Structures are given as C-alpha cells and as structure tokens.
Amino acid sequence: MTKSPKITPMLQQYLELKEQHKDAILFYRMGDFYEMFFEDAEIASKALGITLTSRNNKGDANKVPMCGVPFHALGTYLGKMVKAGHRVAICEQVQDPKEAKGIVQREVVRIVSPGVTTDDQLLDEKTNCYICSLTCCKKYGKGILLGLSFLDASTGIFLLTEFLDALEVYGELVDIITRFQPAELLISETTAQDYPDVISTLQTVLPGLCLTTRADHIYDLEQARTTLTEHFQTANLGGFGCDQLSCGIRSAGALLAYIQDTQKASLNHIQTLRTINKDDHLIIDEASRRNLELTETLIGGVRSGTLLDVLDCTTTPMGARLLKERIISPLNDETRITRRLDAVEELCSNPQARKQIRDLLAKVYDLERLCSRLVLGQGNARDIAALKTSFQQLPSLAQVLDDFTTVLFADISQHLDPLKELCTLIEVSIRDDAPPSLREGKLICEGYHERLDHLIHLLRDGKQLILDLEGKERQKTGIAKLKVGFNKVFGYYFEVSRAQASLVPEDYIRKQTLVNAERFITPELKELENEISSAQEERLDLEYRLFTEIRDRIAAESNRILQTAHQIARIDFLTSLAEASAKYRYCKPTLNFTNEIQIQEGRHPVIERSLDSGRFVANDVFLDQECNQLLIITGPNMAGKSTVLRQTALIVLMAHLGCFVPADSASICLTDRIFTRVGAMDDLRRGQSTFMVEMNETANILNNATENSLVILDEIGRGTSTYDGLAIAWAVAEELVNKNDIGIKTLFATHYHELTDLAISNTRVQNYSIAVKEWNDKILFLHKLVKGATNRSYGIQVAALAGVPGHVIQRAHAILASIEQGEFDHHGKPHQTVKDASGKHQPCQLQLFTSQTDALRDLLKENKPDELSPRQALNLVYELHALMKK
C-alpha cells in the first residue's frame, strides 16, 4: 500500500493557498527562490525546461515533486509560463521571518495571465495587450445580443460595446475581436455551456487564445453596474455613454471584477470607460484588414511589409500603439480628418521643429506602462528614474509646440501637463544609479531624509567616528595614550595603561584587566557602536519605506501622468505621419462631398518601398457615382492589377487616417466602409475551401456595402468551374452597379473578358486594362492602367516567365491552338488527335467554349424546315445521322 507523503506545516500552507487558486501555477516564495510542488512542479519543469527534483528523499512514499526558480530571475521564467498559456499566482512572504512564530505568513499578491500582465518581458511595447470579456445576453430571431469589453491592464485602456450579431455566423463579433487581438477571453460558465460555437469560432480565428471561465454571478447586471460605479466613483454610467448598454455593462463589470481579484491592488490607472462607436470610424472588416495587410502580412503574419511598418516612424511606445490602433480604425468625420491633415502639413513644412520634437520624444519612456506598474505596486527605482527622464523633456516639448498654430496642436498644448512638482520630487529623492531590487538599499538620495543621511554617514564614516571619539576622550581625560580597540567579546573599548589608570573618569566601566593595561567602555562608545552595527539593517528598511511612500505619491497622480502620456502619444502619432509623408514624397489629400475618388499618379505605399527609387509605375484612378462607378480591369497575371486595387484602398484609408498619401494629388470622398475580396486561399482553420472563402467575403460585401463604400474585388468566381464562376462574377458586378438604384464604387479585376460587355449596357461601367508589350511571343509588363479592355490573359507567356519547362509551354501552345481552331465536336470530343512538337499524337482536352465551326449546326442552318419536301426532310435526317457517326 502506497503511503501519502508527509505533510509538513510548510506544505500545508502551500496546499491551502493552492486550493484557492486551482487554475493557476503557484509560485511559492521560499527565501531566494520561488518553489512549485506536486503537479504544478511537473507542469512548470516541462514548460521552463528546468530539473524536476523531489522533497523528502528518505523514501518513495514521501517524495514530493518540486522545482524552483531564483526570485531575481522571476521575469524571465514568468514570461515562459505565460507564453505557454499558463496562469501564474505569485505568492510572497508578507511577514518578517524574525517576527514569525512558526511558519512565515504568505499570500498571493497577484495573478499573471496571458491577458493580464504589466511585465516588460511579456509585452510588446508597440502593441496593446488586451483581455476580452464576452457575454451572450438574449436571442432575437436569428440573432443574438452580445456584450464585449476590452481592457489593457498595462495601460489602463478600458472599452465596451454591445451589438446584435447573426447566430452561427458571428461576423461582427469576429471583426471586433480580431481588431483588438486579445490574448485572453473571459466568459461566464453558462455562456461557455450554452454557446460552445461562439468559443469555437473565436479560438479558430485567434489560435492560442487563453480561455478563462468565471462564475455567473459576476455577470449579474446590478453587480456589474455597482462594480463599475464604485471604481469610477460615479452615481451612474451616463457620463461614459453606456448607461443603457446592459449587455455591455455586464461584460465590463465582470472584467473589472476579474482584474481587481487578480491584481489585488489599486487600479487607479483605469480612469475611464470608452464606448466603441463604429459610426465614428471607417469600418474595415477582418477580411479586408487581412487582404490589405494593414498590420501583418498574409504570408507569415509578420509586421515587416505592412502599411503599419511603412508609416511607423514613432519614437515612443505610446505613439506606436496609437498609430496601430488608428490604422485599424481610421476616422469617418470630415472635421477631425481635416484637423489631422492640417497638423501633419504644419509638421511637414517645419522640418527643424519636427526634428526637435522627435529628439525630445526619443528620451521619453513608456509613461502608460510605467504608471500602471507604480499604481499596482510593482514599480522599482529604475521605473521612477525613467519617469524623471521623461518628465524632464516636457518643458522643452511644450516650448516647441508653442510655435504651432493648428487647432490640433493648440488642444495638445492645452492638455500637456509638465508635471514639474513630480519631476522635482523624483530628482531630490531617487538615485540615478538605484538598483532594480528594492531590498538592496542605495535607492534614496542623500539630503532627502535626515535620519537616512545619518545612517549613511554612520556606514560610510563609522571608523572615523570611532577615531573622533577617541580623540575627544583623550582631550577630556588628559590620558595621552588612550586608544580604541575592538574584539569579538566586548566589541569596541578604550584601553589605558596601568600607569595612567588612576586618570580614568568615574563613568568609565571596567571590562578587562591585563598585565600592563585596563580596558573600559562608556555609554557613548556603546551607543555609537550599536548605531554603527545596526545602521545597515535600519538603512535598508528605511529606504524601502521611503521608496514606497514616494511611489505612492507618484501613483496618486496617475490621472495627470496618463493624460500627459496620451498627449505625447498624439504628438508622436502626428510626427510619425509627417516624417513618413516627408520621407516618401506623399501629398496632402483633399476631402470632397461629390462622392468621387480621384487619384493622380497613385503609388502602393508598401510595394514602392521594396523597389529601387523611381522603379514603381504610378497610376491614375477615378471613381464616381455617374460614369465611373465600376471599373472592370483586365490584363495578365503579374501585370499589376492587384497592386492597383490595393493601393487605391490604402490611399483612401490613409486619407481617412489623416495622413498624406502616395500620389501626386488625391481628392477623396468620405467613405463609410472598405471591402476587399482579394486573393484566393483556403481557410483551413475554419474548414473552408478557397471558393467558400470567396463566397463568404462576397456575401458580406453584397449585404453590407452602401453607396458610400469602396469595394475592391479581385478574381471573383475562379474557385469553381468556368461557367459557374463567370455567371457569379457577372451577377455580382450587376448587383454592385444596381444596388438600391444607386450602386457602389467598385474596382473589379478579372480574367473573365466576357465581363467587359457590361460596359455596353451600363453607362456607369468602364473597362480598363493593364498595358503589356508583346515581342517575339514574349511580354513586357508596363504596369500601366489604361482605358479599354484586353481580350487576352497571356497565361502561357506568364507561365514561361515563371520557369515552367519549355516542353510544357510548347504543349500548352498546341492545345490553345486546337481550342481556338475548334477541333472538337459538339460533345467536346476531338475530331482528331493533336501532334505535339515531337510528332506524337496527344489527346485534346475539352474545349471551354462552343466552337465557331460546327458541321451539324451549319447543316441545320442551311435548311429551312418549312421549305423541305418529305423526301428532302428524310434525306436531311440521314445526313445528320452520318455526321453524328464522325
């Protein structure tokens, strides 16, 4: 019979704490290590790649699996655990071991999870780390009311929304979730049970999403409302514009309660709750964000090669995060867009001031995350020193901004708090060379605290103080040979020779008699000795206490710090747009209200960066609601059709972002949504074929696009048979032109040349093509968009350029010639085999279109039934029968 391991008081304490945090790996502080036991140790040893040992090695029955990591390397190991998808409960000693009677008291001081962390090693400084809370409230026919909230614990950003979404599709849910890319999803136990398809959908589009379930009661409406109003100290939520969003409130209240429970500290850095209002922004759905490669590439999912990568000239983490957020959610308000454009123009026209701003911002640290760490009680002296360095740049920054005149910069200047008193506090209190640990001392500047100065003086000059006392006593007693000595038994003492012992004062206390000398102590000597011997410990305790007081004073001003951080992010964002615009020769776009998109010499902002200067071929694009509503663009693969489509969408997006655009000139109408159907790719995560992906995205466009939208379509219908694909493409094009009798501005690239006939019957459809030059059966891509259609795709020539073997190319030419010559009967069977270049007979493939020469049809055309005699009609039947046998 196997015996259970012996449970010591320490293990008993561990098990009690573990019982309270069953869903987390418990990092249990023991001296200089965090230890893990039992199953936690087995999991952690694998995740961290550390040795699994055991406690109590006297017998197998008493072995307890264990492993540990040094406390000073917590950040590194914590990062590995969280990236592996684990939640970690940090358990610290909250009692001085000297004061403990029995086991030292310990408590879990915080819980770290993929979506809730403030550690630098776990965070990407240019990306927000969100945790999302989702609640499903009510069903309405084929839809469901959803509440969503997002919180970045490292910056204090807190958002919520609610909306009605279609059951089983969850299109808007996916769009919003993928926009914020949360690392963790919080959901109630009931929702998890009742809506497994919701969770499945989200885990499909966000692989690695950490799922956390919570008790239903924290999603109760009144409890959630109380949690929010108590935190923000308001009577209601009307000031946040969400008082009537009951489903959103459930979600946000549950999320805030979760953060309070896991961080076990003040959350003063969460100072407001913003409602997500999609009407204020140009909407870009998940498929369009992916197709346009706004923040990550289609292949590889990396940042390099995206619009964000090109425009990111930011110098602060706050500015980088704001840029990413605004690229994903551009504006849809003429006044706000114009103000941004004017501010960017002012920066572009003043390169010297722009350089000054960038140089100052380069010395500013991540104020948002530094402030969050201080509020949560996790900041160290280096964090505060980074705040000081950042604050020191503010007066100069404000001075440079005073010279700017645009509305946006006036608003920024008004709200840019220089934080002078906080900067002064840090300058006089925190040492520049302070260590990261708070228990090693050397945190506080001399001159800040009188008692600390005295302790530092004792530690630094203790020996000299003893010698000074020796001199003082010689002078007072008149004993010229009085000297200070030290041993381990008495500590410091005064030694006097036998001959001068009679001169010793009465307050001297004899401690030892030697052959030739006497040794004495005095109260003053013992007091000084005690002060020196205890000075180090007292200094460490005092410095820690003073530091936490200073940290709390700074954290109490978190509202001001975060407000300043936001203004710096705005400055950095605008400066980044101006820097990119000046560097890459972008122009200021104008906004129009005539529903036109007019781009002169437009360029793709990403592709042109990968080419040598001057190699990119610019193109004009004009769209309106009158005569140029749907442009059908034909031309061979690799000629640049997709580039023209994408660059048009990106230029429209950049204009709504408030950025200059890659063109000689551009006039852009306000656009409510950008839709793209570009490229063909299976979505294996969702079990969808290429064609299904095409049709899902096409359906979304047809159902949701308005006359104020821009639609980009590339190769609709190519995922199915030729005739089906052509039919679908034709019907989609007609719908886009005729929808609501107004139509939608659309760029439609296709290889179905039959679609060009639409321009004959509809004056709002125009044909364009990408020009190529033919020479010796080869083609040269000119990459120029020209008026008029083309009737060739040059597929075989493109295949040759791609390196397809020569004999395959020759065979393709032979088959194409057979198709064009109509060497097939009305059943699609070859009249004769076709010889390849070697003279061998090869079977002909079926023709794609009806042959122009068909003997059966010709014979029927030559005879008119009403004019045939019975004899002639019988002869005709025989002739037809003979043709059938051929």
Side-chain angles (χ1 to χ4, degrees):
M1 181 175 177
T2 304
K3 296 181 180 180
S4 299
K6 182 179 179 181
I7 303 300
T8 63
M10 184 276 294
L11 280 179
Q12 182 63 39
Q13 183 188 60
Y14 172 88
L15 292 171
E16 289 172 358
L17 291 167
K18 177 62 182 177
E19 180 67 20
Q20 299 169 23
H21 302 89
K22 295 180 180 179
D23 59 347
I25 304 297
L26 187 64
F27 274 36
Y28 182 84
R29 180 71 178 268
M30 293 180 66
D32 291 339
F33 283 82
Y34 289 101
E35 303 286 1
M36 288 138 277
F37 300 96
F38 300 105
E39 185 180 359
D40 279 8
E42 294 173 356
I43 294 172
S45 65
K46 292 179 181 178
L48 300 176
I50 58 178
T51 303
L52 180 68
T53 62
S54 63
R55 190 177 181 88
N56 299 331
N57 289 316
K58 294 180 180 179
D60 291 340
N62 289 322
K63 282 188 177 181
V64 174
M66 67 173 290
C67 64
V69 297
F71 84 96
H72 59 79
L74 174 64
T76 300
Y77 291 106
L78 198 58
K80 291 182 179 179
M81 292 298 294
V82 171
K83 288 175 182 177
H86 298 292
R87 291 157 48 86
V88 178
I90 308 296
C91 177
E92 296 285 2
Q93 297 176 179
V94 294
Q95 182 184 25
D96 188 337
K98 296 178 182 178
E99 300 175 0
K101 294 181 180 179
I103 194 75
V104 176
Q105 184 179 348
R106 293 177 175 86
E107 292 179 5
V108 171
V109 297
R110 64 185 170 116
I111 298 173
V112 180
S113 66
V116 187
T117 180
T118 58
D119 294 277
D120 283 341
Q121 295 185 22
L122 306 181
L123 296 169
D124 177 354
E125 67 173 14
K126 294 192 172 186
T127 301
N128 288 101
C129 179
Y130 286 109
I131 178 173
C132 170
S133 174
L134 167 67
T135 183
C136 305
C137 295
K138 298 178 183 177
K139 289 184 180 179
Y140 292 90
K142 294 184 178 180
I144 183 171
L145 184 64
L146 299 173
L148 269 183
S149 58
F150 299 88
L151 193 148
D152 183 347
S154 70
T155 64
I157 296 175
F158 196 10
L159 312 164
L160 95 163
T161 187
E162 74 173 35
F163 51 92
L164 192 66
D165 209 354
L167 278 168
E168 299 181 1
V169 178
Y170 305 114
E172 188 163 356
L173 174 63
V174 168
D175 285 346
I176 296 177
I177 287 283
T178 53
R179 186 195 315 171
F180 290 96
Q181 297 281 312
E184 184 174 354
L185 176 67
L186 193 71
I187 195 167
S188 71
E189 294 172 348
T190 298
T191 299
Q193 293 172 3
D194 294 348
Y195 300 96
D197 51 335
V198 172
I199 298 173
S200 175
T201 298
L202 295 179
Q203 289 181 323
T204 297
V205 298
L206 292 175
L209 179 68
C210 176
L211 181 66
T212 301
T213 55
R214 299 288 281 174
D216 291 334
H217 67 83
I218 71 167
Y219 281 88
D220 175 75
L221 178 59
E222 290 310 313
Q223 181 172 334
R225 194 185 297 273
T226 300
T227 299
L228 293 169
T229 53
E230 287 182 352
H231 173 80
F232 293 114
Q233 298 181 357
T234 58
N236 55 56
L237 300 174
F240 302 114
C242 62
D243 206 35
Q244 304 304 313
L245 304 180
S246 59
C247 201
I249 290 171
R250 291 174 188 265
S251 170
L255 180 52
L256 184 59
Y258 175 70
I259 302 298
Q260 290 172 337
D261 185 44
T262 57
Q263 298 309 291
K264 304 181 186 298
S266 166
L267 299 175
N268 292 338
H269 66 303
I270 304 174
Q271 297 177 345
T272 190
L273 179 60
R274 285 179 12 222
T275 302
I276 300 172
N277 188 351
K278 63 182 182 181
D279 294 334
D280 293 341
H281 297 90
L282 167 61
I283 299 173
I284 310 169
D285 60 27
E286 183 222 0
S288 298
R289 289 195 300 270
R290 187 176 66 248
N291 291 333
L292 293 176
E293 298 183 302
L294 298 184
T295 60
E296 60 181 36
T297 57
L298 272 170
I299 299 175
V302 296
R303 190 175 187 272
S304 178
T306 64
L307 179 65
L308 174 61
D309 185 48
V310 170
L311 296 184
D312 189 1
C313 298
T314 58
T315 52
T316 71
M318 297 92 72
R321 291 193 294 269
L322 185 63
L323 174 64
K324 183 176 181 179
E325 174 189 328
R326 290 182 169 177
I327 285 177
I328 295 172
S329 299
L331 294 174
N332 189 24
D333 178 89
E334 184 264 341
T335 300
R336 294 175 67 190
I337 294 172
T338 300
R339 286 179 178 176
R340 277 191 196 169
L341 288 171
D342 290 345
V344 172
E345 182 179 37
E346 190 170 22
L347 282 164
C348 285
S349 62
N350 195 339
Q352 184 176 357
R354 190 171 76 245
K355 184 179 185 304
Q356 284 181 285
I357 292 173
R358 286 171 55 79
D359 289 344
L360 289 168
L361 291 181
K363 300 174 185 176
V364 175
Y365 290 83
D366 195 338
L367 294 181
E368 290 177 333
R369 287 180 172 167
L370 288 171
C371 180
S372 299
R373 286 204 289 274
L374 264 57
V375 168
L376 294 172
Q378 299 166 15
N380 60 26
R382 291 186 179 179
D383 291 332
I384 295 181
L387 284 179
K388 179 189 70 175
T389 302
S390 303
F391 295 164
Q392 288 171 337
Q393 315 310 315
L394 297 179
S396 299
L397 186 60
Q399 187 175 359
V400 176
L401 294 180
D402 284 342
D403 295 332
F404 286 79
T405 60
T406 52
V407 173
L408 211 52
F409 277 116
D411 181 69
I412 291 172
S413 296
Q414 181 182 350
H415 293 94
L416 186 65
D417 188 341
L419 303 169
K420 290 182 180 178
E421 67 278 16
L422 288 181
C423 185
T424 300
L425 170 62
I426 300 172
E427 285 175 342
V428 300
S429 63
I430 304 298
R431 292 176 52 156
D432 291 332
D433 60 348
S437 171
L438 302 183
R439 294 293 187 178
E440 297 177 12
K442 299 182 180 179
L443 300 173
I444 308 300
C445 296
E446 289 189 56
Y448 178 73
H449 191 273
E450 185 177 352
R451 178 58 183 170
L452 179 61
D453 289 348
H454 178 63
L455 294 173
I456 294 173
H457 179 51
L458 286 174
L459 290 169
R460 185 175 57 208
D461 303 320
K463 186 174 182 180
Q464 184 60 47
L465 291 172
I466 295 290
L467 293 176
D468 290 344
L469 182 60
E470 178 189 76
K472 175 184 171 184
E473 290 301 316
R474 280 180 184 173
Q475 186 175 4
K476 186 177 82 171
T477 61
I479 304 174
K481 293 186 178 182
L482 180 146
K483 62 181 181 180
V484 172
F486 177 86
N487 64 31
K488 294 182 179 180
V489 178
F490 306 124
Y492 285 102
Y493 55 84
F494 291 130
E495 185 173 291
V496 179
S497 67
R498 277 286 184 92
Q500 294 182 311
S502 60
L503 300 176
V504 171
E506 293 182 0
D507 61 339
Y508 273 39
I509 302 170
R510 179 179 282 105
K511 296 299 293 182
Q512 190 177 21
T513 300
L514 302 177
V515 175
N516 297 316
E518 299 278 351
R519 291 175 176 175
F520 301 87
I521 63 171
T522 67
E524 187 177 5
L525 178 62
K526 284 292 116 179
E527 183 180 350
L528 179 58
E529 179 185 345
N530 290 337
E531 273 198 307
I532 293 173
S533 62
S534 62
Q536 179 64 17
E537 184 176 352
E538 185 181 352
R539 176 188 177 178
L540 294 179
D541 289 342
L542 180 57
E543 285 207 68
Y544 179 76
R545 188 168 69 253
L546 291 173
F547 175 82
T548 56
E549 289 174 359
I550 295 165
R551 184 172 65 186
D552 291 344
R553 286 174 63 183
I554 298 171
E557 302 294 335
S558 59
N559 184 35
R560 295 171 60 196
I561 296 173
L562 291 174
Q563 179 61 246
T564 295
H566 178 58
Q567 303 312 319
I568 288 174
R570 293 173 70 191
I571 298 168
D572 198 17
F573 164 74
L574 293 170
T575 308
S576 178
L577 296 186
E579 187 72 12
S581 298
K583 186 188 299 184
Y584 305 138
R585 300 178 297 105
Y586 293 169
C587 76
K588 182 182 181 181
T590 59
L591 300 180
N592 68 65
F593 299 93
T594 56
N595 241 338
E596 295 179 352
I597 295 174
Q598 186 170 358
I599 301 169
Q600 297 291 327
E601 295 292 288
R603 313 185 303 274
H604 193 294
V606 180
I607 294 177
E608 75 164 340
R609 301 268 53 81
S610 64
L611 301 177
D612 294 337
S613 179
R615 289 289 306 276
F616 188 90
V617 178
N619 276 297
D620 300 344
V621 171
F622 180 70
L623 290 164
D624 61 15
Q625 304 290 119
E626 305 295 331
C627 301
N628 297 273
Q629 188 172 69
L630 189 147
L631 307 187
I632 295 178
I633 303 175
T634 51
N637 287 314
M638 295 176 61
K641 299 192 301 297
S642 296
T643 298
V644 171
L645 267 60
R646 284 189 170 99
Q647 76 185 39
T648 302
L650 290 174
I651 288 172
V652 171
L653 183 152
M654 290 170 68
H656 285 72
L657 177 63
C659 181
F660 284 19
V661 300
D664 285 357
S665 67
S667 178
I668 309 295
C669 61
L670 283 178
T671 304
D672 60 1
R673 299 188 66 154
I674 292 177
F675 292 94
T676 67
R677 160 83 283 284
V678 178
M681 185 179 297
D682 293 343
D683 193 340
L684 299 179
R685 297 176 304 168
R686 305 191 208 185
Q688 295 179 349
S689 66
T690 298
F691 185 62
M692 180 57 75
V693 172
E694 281 189 32
M695 292 303 99
N696 280 339
E697 295 179 5
T698 303
N700 179 45
I701 293 170
L702 297 179
N703 290 326
N704 296 299
T706 72
E707 66 270 20
N708 296 317
S709 301
L710 171 64
V711 174
I712 302 297
L713 296 176
D714 192 0
E715 305 297 344
I716 286 291
R718 67 179 178 183
T720 186
S721 69
T722 302
Y723 289 123
D724 284 353
L726 174 57
I728 291 171
W730 191 295
V732 168
E734 284 186 341
E735 173 65 12
L736 290 169
V737 175
N738 299 321
K739 187 176 181 180
N740 299 327
D741 297 323
I742 299 174
I744 304 162
K745 291 182 290 296
T746 304
L747 294 176
F748 196 137
T750 183
H751 283 290
Y752 295 133
H753 299 123
E754 294 81 359
L755 285 180
T756 59
D757 290 345
L758 278 168
I760 299 173
S761 59
N762 197 311
T763 57
R764 286 182 287 166
V765 178
Q766 299 294 332
N767 288 321
Y768 281 82
S769 60
I770 304 296
V772 298
K773 184 176 182 180
E774 295 185 69
W775 181 72
N776 287 345
D777 198 34
K778 295 182 179 179
I779 56 172
L780 176 65
F781 298 118
L782 302 181
H783 303 295
K784 198 68 178 176
L785 184 67
V786 296
K787 190 73 181 290
T790 181
N791 60 359
R792 293 191 61 188
S793 290
Y794 300 97
I796 297 177
Q797 288 86 345
V798 173
L801 288 175
V804 173
H807 67 278
V808 176
I809 297 298
Q810 292 178 11
R811 176 63 180 146
H813 276 300
I815 294 173
L816 178 61
S818 296
I819 293 173
E820 292 175 342
Q821 293 168 12
E823 295 179 353
F824 301 87
D825 63 18
H826 63 286
H827 290 300
K829 296 180 180 179
H831 286 298
Q832 57 185 349
T833 55
V834 180
K835 294 182 179 180
D836 62 15
S838 65
K840 296 181 180 179
H841 290 277
Q842 300 290 343
C844 296
Q845 72 175 50
L846 299 179
Q847 64 179 3
L848 299 177
F849 300 98
T850 305
S851 173
Q852 298 299 313
T853 56
D854 188 326
L856 184 62
R857 293 175 184 272
D858 291 344
L859 184 58
L860 289 172
K861 287 179 183 179
E862 293 171 0
N863 292 276
K864 298 179 180 179
D866 293 338
E867 298 177 359
L868 295 176
S869 66
R871 181 66 180 176
Q872 290 173 324
L874 184 60
N875 289 336
L876 179 59
V877 170
Y878 280 105
E879 288 184 56
L880 291 172
H881 187 265
L883 284 174
M884 288 289 292
K885 290 182 177 180
K886 291 184 179 180

